[in-house]
Amino acid sequence: MFKRREQPVSLLILRNLRVFGLETPLLQKRLIESWPEVAGAAIARYTTSLHIQNQTLYVRLSVPALRADLSMQRHAFVQRLNQHVGAQVIADIRFN
């Protein structure tokens, strides 16, 4: 007889994503998609674009006054976004 090594499917999927180098892009996509939920509807309404480069989330806003307010809260946003995704995806946020 042989011994089975049963593992949850979610663990196998995550392991394969990591092996093929797809874990980080997937986490980045999840983080960007979670922006409206974490930031709130009012802030998301004034967000025109989001992208991640070198562990920095770049947020383009259409209202200049909002940039200054959000810049003071950027560390809180980093923590909440990473916590929402469940991994350390970004280290900083830049509001443009």
Side-chain angles (χ1 to χ4, degrees):
M1 286 238 171
F2 62 92
K3 187 174 182 179
R4 292 184 184 199
R5 295 183 310 162
E6 295 178 5
Q7 296 177 344
V9 174
S10 60
L11 180 65
L12 296 172
I13 291 172
L14 286 175
R15 186 178 308 147
N16 282 330
L17 286 173
R18 193 172 298 125
V19 167
F20 292 112
L22 299 173
E23 182 181 32
T24 301
L26 179 64
L27 289 173
Q28 289 177 349
K29 182 176 178 3
R30 286 179 51 203
L31 187 131
I32 288 173
E33 288 177 349
S34 70
W35 174 254
E37 184 178 338
V38 173
I43 295 171
R45 185 176 328 130
Y46 298 112
T47 302
T48 58
S49 69
L50 298 163
H51 74 276
I52 298 174
Q53 183 177 0
N54 296 331
Q55 289 190 328
T56 302
L57 175 64
Y58 291 91
V59 180
R60 184 172 300 265
L61 299 168
S62 59
V63 178
L66 192 58
R67 291 180 198 145
D69 290 340
L70 295 179
S71 291
M72 290 186 282
Q73 302 173 20
R74 70 178 201 233
H75 295 295
F77 278 114
V78 168
Q79 289 177 346
R80 287 191 294 189
L81 285 165
N82 285 329
Q83 192 173 41
H84 191 271
V85 174
Q88 179 70 28
V89 179
I90 60 170
D92 196 15
I93 297 180
R94 301 291 172 152
F95 296 100
N96 301 339

